Amino acid sequence: MTFSYPTILLLPALLFGALYAVALYVRERKASGNSSSFRKAMPWMALLRIVAVSGIAILLLDPVLKYRKNETEKPLLLFALDNSASLRLGPDSVRSREAAAALAQLQRELGGDFDVRSFRFGAELMESQADVAAPSFDEPATDLSAALDALNDRFANRNVGAIVLASDGIYNLGNNPAYGSRRLGAPIYTVGLGDTMRRRDLRIDRNYVNRLVYLNDRFTLKLDLSAIHAPGERAALRLESIEPGGSRLLDSKVVEIGGDPFAASVEFIVNASRAGIMHLRAGFGPLAGEASERNNTVDLFIDVLDARQRMLLLAHAPHPDLAALRQVMEAQGNYEVDLIMAREFDGSLSGYDLVVLHQLPSATYPLTALTSLLKTEGIPTLFVLGAKSDPELFNRSQDLVRIRAANGSMNEVQARFDPEFSLFQLDETLTAALRQFPPLLSPFGDYRTSPQTRMLLSQRIGSVDTEYPLFAFGESGRTRIGVLAAEGIFRWRMFDYMETGNHQRFEELTGKCFQYLAVKSDRRNFRTLLAKNLFTEREGISVQAELYNDSYQPVNTPEVDFVVTDSEGKRYEYRFNREGSRYVLQAGSLPAGQYRYVARTQLNGANLTSEGQFTVAPLQLEAMEFTANHGLLASLSASSGGAFFAPGQLVALADSLRANNAIRPVIHESVQTRSVINLRALFFLLLGLLSVEWLMRKLNGGY
C-alpha cells in the first residue's frame, strides 16, 4: 500500500480518531447518568469509534493498493508439416502418412510441457485446427522459405521454444530456406519424410518456350530430360496439341538413354496455327519399374495473338527513358518499335498504331502539323513530359491535362496509386511498391485535369500527396491519350531489377499502359475485363466489369451475375461486388482446364451480356521430384541449434526437446494499482463499525 501524501500524516489521523472518540464519550458519559452498563461498554464503543474515524481520516490520504501478479508462459512449440503432393505421389506415401499420425500423437504428449501450435504448408503456411494427423498431401507446390518466414512474422517477440519441421526437404518455390532459418532465433528440429533412395525414373525436368507468340509464327520448344537407372533404354517423346475434339500429334522423337545418370535436351519447332490459347502436351510412355509416371509429361499453354502492332517512339533527343520504354515494348512481343529523333522524322504516320512523344512538342520541334494529324487520324498517343517539353504547345496538343508553368524548373515527384482507377488492373504488390520507387522529374507548375481524365498515378511532392497527375489516361473524342508528366522512368526499371532481380513490375506497369492505349476503343455499354486469360491452379481469378448508360456515364446500380462453365459443362455462379463506379469479382481459384464465362445484367429494360474465355493451367511442380533431400533438413537443424530425426526417432525427439535447457517458460510480472477508497468491502466495514457502535450505545442507555 502506498499513499499520495506523506505517511507521517498517519499519526495525526490516528490521533484525530482517538481525540474525537474521547471527546464524544466524555460527553456521553455525563449524559448517561453514569450507569454501570454504559461504563462497562464504553471502552469497546470508544475503540470502535476510534477505528472508524481514524479509518475515514486515513482514506483522506488517498492510499493505493498495488497488486503484483506473475503469469507463466509456456514455451511455444511450433509443428509444421509439409502437406505437398510429392509426399502423396512419391513411392513412400504410406510411411509419410504413418509419420504424420505419429507426429500428431507426439503433439498431444508434449501439450503438458509446451504451448503446441500446429501448421501445414505448401506454397503458403496454414494453421491446422487440431493436430497434423490425416494430412491431405495435395498442395501443388512447396515453399519452405515462405513457411519459415510466415512463422517468424506471426510469432516474432514470442517465447518460441522450438520449431518441429516435418518435410521431405523438396522445395520448388521461393528461396533456399537455409538463408532465413535463423530469423526466429529458435532451434529447428527436422523430421525427414519421404525416401532418399534414387529410383528408376525418366522425367522432363524443365521446358523453355515463349509464352506469347503470334499467329502463323514458328517457335521453338526446348525440353530438358533426365533418367536414373535406365541405361540402354529407348523412349519415344511425343508432342501433342490438346484441342476440343481430342489430341493431335505434332511431332515425336526417340531418345536413346546412354548413361546413368542421363541428361539431354530435345527441341521441337511448332507452328502457331490458331489464335487463342494453344495447349501443348509433351511426354514419354512409362518405363518398366519406373518410380513415377507423373513427371513423364508436361502441359504447356501458349498465348497466340493474331496481330502485331507498330509503335513510333519519337523523341526530342537521346535519353535513357527511350531505351527503357523500347525494351518494355519489345519484351511484350506484340510491338514493332521504330525509335526516331525529331530532327530525322519525315512526318509520316502511316501504319502506326501508337505514337509516344518523348519531351515533344518542344520549342525546338513544335510538331504542330504532327499533333493535328494525330487528332485527325485518331492515333493513340502517349505524351512523356520533361525539361525540353513546351507546356503551351503541350496544352494545345491534347485536352486531358493543362499545365501553367511557373519558371521552367523541375520537381522531384514520387508516385501515388489512385485506387479509383478502373481502366485496367494492376497487381496489388505493384501498387503497394510504387511508393518506394525513386522520384521522377516533373515540370514545375500548376496542373489541371479535365472531367474525362483518369489518373493512374498522382504526384507525391516531398511528403505531400497532391492531386496533380503523374500518369493519366483518357479519351479525346474516340482517341485514347496518355500523359506521363515526368521524365526519368528508366530509374524505375533499374530500381525494380535491384529490388527483385527482374523487371516484371516495371514491365507490368508500362506494358499495360501501352496495351490500353493501343487497343481499339471499346464503346460497348457493358464489358468485362480479366486481369489475364491464362491462370495457374491456386491463382485467384480476378474480374472487373463496367456498365455505361446511353450517355456513356458509368453506373453500377443493377446486379451483375457471372457464370463460368468448364469443358465438361460444370457451372460456377458468382455475383459481382460494387467498388466505386465499377464492379469487381474475386472468384477464387479453379481446377485446371478450359473455361468460358458469361456476365449478365439489365439496364433500362435491356438485357446486356459479355462473354469470354480463359484457361487454368495445372501446377506440375510436385510431380517433378520425389527423391527426398534430407541433407537440406539436417543443414537447417545444424545452423539453428536443432537436430535431425528420422520418423522412427520421435521418442528421441521428445526427449531432446525436454532436455534442452534453452527452452524454458517465461514469467511475466504485471502490476495493477487500485485506490483503497474504491473498495466496496471497506465501505461496508466502516459502516458496520459505526452501526455496531451506535447499537451498543442505544442498548446501554446512550444517546
Side-chain angles (χ1 to χ4, degrees):
M1 182 183 292
T2 60
F3 294 86
S4 302
Y5 298 94
T7 54
I8 191 66
L9 295 177
L10 289 173
L11 187 59
L14 295 172
L15 184 60
F16 173 74
L19 291 176
Y20 180 81
V22 169
L24 175 65
Y25 280 98
V26 168
R27 183 178 65 83
E28 286 282 348
R29 183 176 179 180
K30 292 178 179 179
S32 65
N34 217 5
S35 67
S36 59
S37 61
F38 185 84
R39 287 196 301 271
K40 291 178 181 180
M42 188 173 65
W44 299 105
M45 294 186 292
L47 179 61
L48 291 173
R49 180 57 66 106
I50 291 172
V51 172
V53 174
S54 298
I56 294 172
I58 291 172
L59 289 177
L60 296 177
L61 301 180
D62 194 14
V64 177
L65 288 175
K66 287 187 177 181
Y67 300 89
R68 295 184 183 274
K69 183 179 181 181
N70 292 333
E71 294 183 351
T72 301
E73 179 188 2
K74 292 181 181 180
L76 280 167
L77 185 58
L78 309 179
F79 276 78
L81 175 67
D82 188 344
N83 194 39
S84 60
S86 61
L87 289 165
R88 172 175 55 86
L89 302 175
D92 211 22
S93 59
V94 174
R95 292 182 61 187
S96 296
R97 293 190 181 278
E98 293 173 350
L103 282 166
Q105 178 61 32
L106 177 63
Q107 289 184 61
R108 291 189 285 269
E109 293 175 359
L110 294 174
D113 301 320
F114 303 92
D115 182 4
V116 177
R117 304 285 289 275
S118 179
F119 297 87
R120 300 179 189 179
F121 67 90
E124 298 177 346
L125 185 76
M126 298 157 289
E127 187 162 6
S128 300
Q129 296 299 319
D131 50 42
V132 295
S136 57
F137 291 137
D138 61 354
E139 292 293 324
T142 308
D143 193 339
L144 276 170
S145 178
L148 293 173
D149 288 344
L151 288 174
N152 173 76
D153 295 339
R154 189 173 300 191
F155 296 102
N157 303 318
R158 294 285 303 275
N159 180 28
V160 179
I163 300 172
V164 178
L165 179 69
S167 173
D168 56 8
I170 301 171
Y171 68 94
N172 38 50
L173 289 180
N175 300 319
N176 189 325
Y179 298 144
S181 61
R182 299 185 183 181
R183 291 181 59 196
L184 265 174
I188 301 175
Y189 291 81
T190 53
V191 179
L193 305 179
D195 192 352
T196 58
M197 181 181 296
R198 299 194 69 84
R199 300 174 182 267
R200 180 178 172 90
D201 193 25
L202 172 64
R203 67 186 186 189
I204 301 174
D205 291 316
R206 285 172 294 277
N207 62 82
Y208 305 92
V209 65
N210 288 332
R211 302 292 175 177
L212 183 67
V213 299
Y214 292 91
L215 187 64
N216 298 322
D217 275 359
R218 292 174 63 83
F219 61 94
T220 301
L221 166 61
K222 179 181 176 182
L223 301 172
D224 285 350
L225 320 173
S226 65
I228 300 292
H229 302 331
E233 295 279 359
R234 300 176 79 248
L237 178 61
R238 295 167 54 89
L239 179 65
E240 299 175 328
S241 173
I242 308 301
E243 300 171 357
S247 62
R248 178 169 58 93
L249 180 64
L250 300 179
D251 200 355
S252 66
K253 295 185 179 182
V254 175
V255 178
E256 302 279 352
I257 302 175
D260 188 18
F262 170 79
S265 295
V266 176
E267 289 187 356
F268 291 100
I269 304 298
V270 185
N271 181 42
S273 58
R274 182 170 55 88
I277 301 296
M278 175 182 283
H279 181 187
L280 302 178
R281 179 174 294 159
F284 293 101
L287 288 178
E290 189 175 4
S292 174
E293 301 174 15
R294 294 178 178 270
N295 53 11
N296 292 18
T297 304
V298 62
D299 286 277
L300 306 164
F301 294 86
I302 314 298
D303 196 357
V304 181
L305 303 180
D306 61 358
R308 280 192 174 94
Q309 294 178 302
R310 289 191 65 199
M311 180 180 294
L312 172 61
L313 188 53
L314 187 61
H316 176 276
H319 193 283
D321 282 352
L322 303 176
L325 294 173
R326 182 173 188 172
Q327 286 166 341
V328 170
M329 300 173 196
E330 292 176 343
Q332 296 287 312
N334 55 334
Y335 297 110
E336 294 179 0
V337 184
D338 293 334
L339 174 58
I340 304 176
M341 296 298 117
R343 64 177 179 272
E344 303 167 352
F345 184 56
D346 61 5
S348 173
L349 295 176
S350 176
Y352 289 114
D353 299 290
L354 174 64
V355 175
V356 179
L357 299 178
H358 189 274
Q359 302 198 47
L360 293 172
S362 63
T364 307
Y365 306 107
L367 301 182
T368 305
L370 174 67
T371 53
S372 298
L373 184 60
L374 287 170
K375 292 180 181 180
T376 303
E377 297 292 330
I379 300 175
T381 308
L382 173 63
F383 294 87
V384 182
L385 303 183
K388 299 298 183 181
S389 299
D390 187 300
E392 289 302 321
L393 292 173
F394 166 73
N395 292 342
R396 296 175 201 162
S397 302
Q398 47 75 50
D399 51 12
L400 294 184
V401 178
R402 291 285 185 269
I403 307 175
R404 187 171 61 189
N407 52 18
S409 61
M410 306 291 285
N411 259 342
E412 282 197 345
V413 300
Q414 288 183 289
R416 182 172 67 91
F417 175 71
D418 187 347
E420 294 297 317
F421 183 79
S422 61
L423 297 180
F424 52 84
Q425 282 185 290
L426 295 178
D427 188 86
E428 291 182 0
T429 58
L430 169 60
T431 59
L434 282 170
R435 281 182 174 268
Q436 308 303 321
F437 278 30
L440 307 181
L441 294 175
S442 178
F444 176 79
D446 183 34
Y447 289 74
R448 292 289 183 269
T449 58
S450 64
Q452 64 266 33
T453 304
R454 299 292 179 265
M455 278 200 291
L456 170 65
L457 305 175
S458 59
Q459 297 182 21
R460 179 180 174 87
I461 304 175
S463 60
V464 179
D465 291 334
T466 74
E467 295 301 320
Y468 290 171
L470 177 58
F471 217 153
F473 299 89
E475 294 189 12
S476 178
R478 294 201 172 188
T479 304
R480 293 187 172 182
I481 304 293
V483 176
L484 174 57
E487 62 175 286
I489 199 171
F490 73 93
R491 299 172 184 166
W492 286 6
R493 187 172 186 270
M494 296 171 63
F495 177 81
D496 192 22
Y497 187 84
M498 181 181 69
E499 288 287 301
T500 64
N502 56 58
H503 304 111
Q504 289 182 0
R505 296 185 301 188
F506 178 77
E507 289 177 354
E508 179 186 354
L509 172 65
T510 50
K512 286 192 174 180
C513 294
F514 292 140
Q515 184 179 4
Y516 165 78
L517 290 170
V519 74
K520 297 184 184 300
S521 181
D522 187 351
R523 303 297 292 184
R524 291 176 297 167
N525 290 83
F526 178 54
R527 57 176 177 255
T528 51
L529 307 168
L530 263 71
K532 50 188 176 182
N533 59 5
L534 178 58
F535 300 87
T536 59
E537 281 185 301
R538 301 300 177 96
E539 187 177 7
I541 311 298
S542 178
V543 194
Q544 288 188 9
E546 296 176 352
L547 180 63
Y548 298 90
N549 59 22
D550 293 338
S551 300
Y552 214 69
Q553 296 171 324
V555 294
N556 68 349
T557 306
E559 298 287 354
V560 177
D561 295 319
F562 190 73
V563 179
V564 178
T565 308
D566 65 14
S567 56
E568 298 179 355
K570 184 177 179 180
R571 291 162 55 93
Y572 302 85
E573 297 184 0
Y574 307 91
R575 176 160 287 179
F576 278 88
N577 296 316
R578 296 175 178 86
E579 184 178 284
S581 60
R582 58 183 175 173
Y583 298 90
V584 296
L585 172 64
Q586 299 294 335
S589 58
L590 292 172
Q594 304 277 351
Y595 294 88
R596 301 192 66 85
Y597 70 83
V598 179
R600 294 187 177 92
T601 190
Q602 286 187 336
L603 183 65
N604 298 328
N607 294 321
L608 303 175
T609 62
S610 178
E611 301 182 12
Q613 60 182 359
F614 61 89
T615 300
V616 178
L619 275 176
Q620 298 173 297
L621 300 175
E622 290 297 308
M624 302 308 297
E625 179 64 72
F626 300 120
T627 304
N629 186 357
H630 289 177
L632 173 65
L633 300 178
S635 174
L636 278 176
S637 296
S639 64
S640 63
F644 173 81
F645 296 89
Q649 298 175 313
L650 296 186
V651 174
L653 169 59
D655 293 340
S656 180
L657 289 168
R658 292 189 176 104
N660 191 337
N661 293 326
I663 304 176
R664 325 180 162 175
V666 173
I667 298 176
H668 299 279
E669 183 184 73
S670 60
V671 178
Q672 295 179 336
T673 60
R674 186 176 182 185
S675 178
V676 174
I677 201 170
N678 293 325
L679 296 178
R680 187 172 298 178
L682 184 60
F683 167 76
F684 287 109
L685 175 62
L686 294 174
L687 180 61
L689 291 174
L690 293 173
S691 299
V692 171
E693 184 248 353
W694 176 82
L695 184 60
M696 289 178 66
R697 284 196 292 120
K698 291 300 181 183
L699 292 176
N700 290 283
Y703 293 99

